[in-house]
């Protein structure tokens, strides 16, 4: 079949074949690079989340141990709550000030520095837009020895955002 074509015709076929091969390779390269990029972003996100979890757990555990030391020997429950509330009220962290400690006795709020009007309220029924009973799940995680709860929470100026909290019991309380 190619014998019937001129040299010029054969060159056009070879060039067309090379062009098709080049386009095919380009398409596969783009698809693979997008897949690699997506996988890389996913892995980076996982590493960052694990790092954030470690930081939150360490900070929470440290605060729990400090609260334990601060209330050691205090017998009056209201005095214990006041001491703990005074400790956590001034601790706001992260650049956007979205990190803070909060304390519950069961599901009743003891300290909540960013919304002090919740102190003394039972917030066990508080649920996010996905139905996660945030305070109840945090309480359950703390009773189980400590754990994380993922939920959606309204952030001033940013709307509803994913949130991560860690809960553990304050030893000796």
């Amino acid at each position: 079949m190619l014998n019937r074509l001129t040299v010029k015709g054969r060159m056009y076929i070879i060039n067309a074949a090379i062009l098709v091969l080049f386009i095919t390779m380009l398409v596969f390269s783009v698809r693979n690079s997008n897949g690699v990029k997506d996988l890389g972003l996913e892995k980076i996100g996982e590493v960052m989340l694990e790092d954030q979890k470690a930081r939150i757990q360490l900070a929470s555990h440290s605060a729990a141990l400090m609260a334990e030391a601060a209330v050691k020997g205090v017998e009056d429950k209201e005095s214990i709550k006041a001491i703990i509330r005074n400790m956590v009220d001034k601790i706001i962290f992260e650049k956007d000030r979205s990190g803070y400690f909060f304390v519950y006795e069961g599901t009743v709020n003891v300290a909540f520095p960013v919304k002090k009007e919740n102190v003394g309220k039972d917030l066990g029924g508080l649920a996010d837009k996905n139905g996660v009973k945030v305070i109840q799940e945090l309480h359950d995680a703390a009773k189980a020895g400590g754990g994380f709860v993922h939920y959606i929470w309204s952030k001033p100026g940013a709307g509803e955002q994913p949130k991560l909290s860690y809960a553990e019991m304050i030893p000796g309380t």
Side-chain angles (χ1 to χ4, degrees):
M1 176 176 158
L2 289 177
N3 292 340
R4 293 186 211 154
L5 295 175
T6 65
V7 173
K8 188 176 182 180
R10 291 178 195 168
M11 291 303 290
Y12 281 135
I13 290 174
I14 291 171
N15 285 336
I18 290 172
L19 182 63
V20 168
L21 182 61
F22 176 74
I23 290 171
T24 304
M25 289 173 41
L26 185 64
V27 167
F28 280 116
S29 293
V30 168
R31 288 179 85 196
N32 285 339
S33 68
N34 285 339
V36 168
K37 179 184 76 171
D38 293 344
L39 182 61
L41 289 174
E42 181 182 323
K43 290 297 180 190
I44 288 170
E46 289 173 12
V47 168
M48 289 175 69
L49 178 61
E50 289 306 313
D51 181 56
Q52 187 72 358
K53 280 183 168 182
R55 289 178 43 216
I56 292 170
Q57 184 176 8
L58 176 62
S60 298
H61 183 66
S62 298
L65 293 178
M66 286 188 283
E68 174 192 28
V71 299
K72 193 171 190 156
V74 179
E75 299 295 326
D76 179 51
K77 268 189 141 184
E78 291 307 311
S79 296
I80 291 172
K81 290 178 187 178
I83 292 167
I84 291 172
R85 189 176 307 113
N86 189 45
M87 283 181 67
V88 301
D89 272 355
K90 295 177 182 93
I91 303 173
I92 307 282
F93 50 95
E94 300 297 343
K95 286 182 183 178
D96 64 356
R97 302 182 53 78
S98 63
Y100 49 88
F101 294 107
F102 45 87
V103 180
Y104 285 82
E105 181 177 35
T107 57
V108 176
N109 185 268
V110 172
F112 198 2
V114 296
K115 206 166 186 181
K116 294 181 186 222
E117 62 270 18
N118 283 342
V119 172
K121 293 181 181 176
D122 187 339
L123 301 176
L126 182 68
D128 75 355
K129 73 175 191 172
N130 297 326
V132 176
K133 289 196 172 189
V134 178
I135 306 307
Q136 185 61 54
E137 287 198 23
L138 286 166
H139 174 68
D140 294 344
K143 280 177 46 178
F148 291 94
V149 175
H150 296 264
Y151 54 98
I152 304 296
W153 200 256
S154 183
K155 187 174 183 177
E160 293 189 340
Q161 300 287 316
K163 185 101 174 179
L164 174 67
S165 291
Y166 180 81
E168 75 174 69
M169 296 292 203
I170 297 174
T173 65

